[in-house]
Amino acid sequence: MRLSKRLIDAVQRLAVQTVEQRGASWGLASVRAVNGDGTVNISTARGPVDRVRRLKSYSAPAVNDVVKVSRNADGNWIVDGALA
């Protein structure tokens, strides 16, 4: 049985997408809003993410801060802190 090139390409794209979604990663984002409950709204390369928890050490978040963010395999985000 010979698989078509289109089917092989589709399976490969799905495999890559699955690995990317399940893997933990980090990146940079900018703060769009600071909320009173210890969270911030951020803009990432993947799009906006609202109500992201921040570390206690990032005690004075401000709109437009460039921050390091981490995302775990379950899709949970955390702001590690602002860049100098």
Side-chain angles (χ1 to χ4, degrees), residues 22-62:
R22 294 300 302 165
S25 65
W26 69 272
L28 298 178
S30 61
V31 175
R32 294 184 295 115
V34 178
N35 305 309
D37 60 357
T39 65
V40 293
N41 298 351
I42 59 173
S43 292
T44 72
R46 294 175 176 238
V49 183
D50 292 339
R51 302 244 176 247
V52 178
R53 304 269 323 139
R54 58 184 170 82
L55 295 180
K56 284 183 181 181
S57 59
Y58 182 39
S59 59

Side-chain angles (χ1 to χ4, degrees), residues 1 5-6 19 23 35 42 44 47-48 52 66 68 71 79:
M1 176 195 276
K5 172 93 170 101
R6 282 182 42 194
V19 169
N35 305 309
I42 59 173
T44 72
V52 178
V66 176
K68 178 184 177 251
R71 183 181 57 86
V79 175

Side-chain angles (χ1 to χ4, degrees), residues 7-23:
L7 178 59
I8 291 169
D9 290 346
V11 170
Q12 186 174 9
R13 276 193 309 274
L14 182 59
V16 168
Q17 181 182 20
T18 300
V19 169
E20 286 177 351
Q21 288 175 345
R22 294 300 302 165

